[in-house]
Amino acid sequence: MSTKKELKFIDLFAGIGGTRIGFEQATKELGFIPKCVFTSEIKTDAINVYSQNFQDKKIAGDITQIEAKEIPDFNFLLAGFPCQPFSSAGSRKGFLDTRGTLFFDIERILKEKEPEGFLLENVEGLVNHDRGRTLSTILQSLENLGYKVAWKVINAANHGIPQNRKRIYIVGRRDKFVSLENLVQQESKLEDLLEKDLPAYKSKFTKRLLEHYKLDELVGKSIKDK
């Protein structure tokens, strides 16, 4: 019988599941059993890929139309939320500052469900959006909900992903402060991550592409190269 603790989480603005993959890997390494109890995404193509990655049969749609009380209880919230203009960012009125933005949906769910913590991700530009007032409003709102909050812009190239991809990460816990400083750094090359000797994914796009090019002619090319 396993003595490992099950750790439940929800995945909002899930995309194709990149944040979930990292979160599940980290929790397993810490000895927990991760269990996603709720997923929300609205883009059809992203949902199709997400379903292939995780075999999830039920993915909720527009999170703005879902009541927080309808979401199963969970320990952690994951969200790569879009950054929208805040109408009155900086006045530090909590919900009044964020209403009408998608961050508001994160805020209302945290308020209703009171999970142990969260991990949020956004574009690097959030740091300077509206001269820093938007980020200040977000951080203040999260602290008002009782969380100890930290944030940092992290480049994926420094942590095992062969791509310069800078994103801001915001993490919060109720019981303790989690520092994002002194993270373990790791460099890798694309060839370290590529899976080899696999059949080509069969789709309308790959079929048309392979009608014009051999596989070895596509090495090093990207879609923008036409």
Side-chain angles (χ1 to χ4, degrees):
M1 182 177 179
S2 175
T3 58
K4 293 183 178 180
K5 179 183 176 181
E6 187 175 73
L7 194 151
K8 298 178 181 180
F9 67 95
I10 65 173
D11 197 5
L12 307 182
F13 314 103
I16 63 174
T19 301
R20 174 174 172 175
I21 290 174
F23 185 82
E24 289 186 333
Q25 178 181 334
T27 53
K28 288 176 181 178
E29 290 176 356
L30 291 172
F32 293 92
I33 301 175
K35 181 179 180 180
C36 185
V37 297
F38 180 84
T39 302
S40 173
E41 174 56 54
I42 62 172
K43 295 182 179 178
T44 302
D45 290 338
I47 291 173
N48 290 338
V49 176
Y50 191 99
S51 298
Q52 293 171 31
N53 285 341
F54 303 102
Q55 287 78 50
D56 285 20
K57 299 185 181 303
K58 185 176 181 181
I59 297 178
D62 189 350
I63 192 62
T64 66
Q65 303 302 310
I66 298 172
E67 294 288 340
K69 61 184 178 182
E70 297 176 3
I71 298 174
D73 291 339
F74 59 92
N75 304 104
F76 280 85
L77 177 149
L78 310 180
F81 67 104
C83 176
Q84 300 167 300
F86 281 41
S87 60
S88 56
S91 60
R92 300 193 174 187
K93 296 179 181 178
F95 284 115
L96 295 179
D97 283 337
T98 62
R99 197 176 301 275
T101 73
L102 291 175
F103 174 74
F104 172 75
D105 295 287
I106 295 172
E107 197 174 19
R108 66 180 176 84
I109 292 170
L110 289 174
K111 183 177 182 181
E112 171 72 26
K113 307 301 289 188
E114 297 184 340
E116 296 174 30
F118 57 81
L119 174 63
L120 312 180
E121 178 262 355
N122 211 297
V123 296
E124 180 186 14
L126 178 63
V127 175
N128 297 316
H129 186 271
D130 194 14
R131 293 181 291 180
R133 288 193 287 258
T134 298
L135 177 58
S136 177
T137 300
I138 288 174
L139 298 176
Q140 186 65 49
S141 298
L142 294 169
E143 290 173 356
N144 288 345
L145 291 174
Y147 292 96
K148 299 175 176 64
V149 184
W151 68 273
K152 184 179 179 65
V153 173
I154 297 174
N155 189 348
N158 297 326
H159 301 281
I161 304 299
Q163 177 188 21
N164 277 313
R165 185 179 178 86
K166 294 181 179 180
R167 293 292 186 271
I168 180 174
Y169 289 88
I170 306 172
V171 62
R173 288 282 302 267
R174 284 190 175 277
D175 57 346
K176 64 180 179 180
F177 177 81
V178 178
S179 175
L180 294 177
E181 301 300 327
N182 303 316
L183 298 177
V184 176
Q185 298 205 4
Q186 175 187 348
E187 294 185 0
S188 65
K189 299 179 181 179
L190 180 60
E191 63 181 359
D192 299 332
L193 304 180
L194 289 178
E195 296 176 297
K196 298 179 174 61
D197 301 321
L198 295 177
Y201 180 70
K202 295 180 180 180
S203 68
K204 183 178 180 181
F205 172 74
T206 55
K207 181 180 178 181
R208 294 187 62 182
L209 188 64
L210 295 175
E211 286 176 352
H212 298 279
Y213 301 95
K214 297 179 181 178
L215 279 174
D216 57 2
E217 294 176 322
L218 296 174
V219 175
K221 295 291 191 294
S222 63
I223 292 176
K224 67 181 181 181
D225 294 324
K226 302 180 182 178

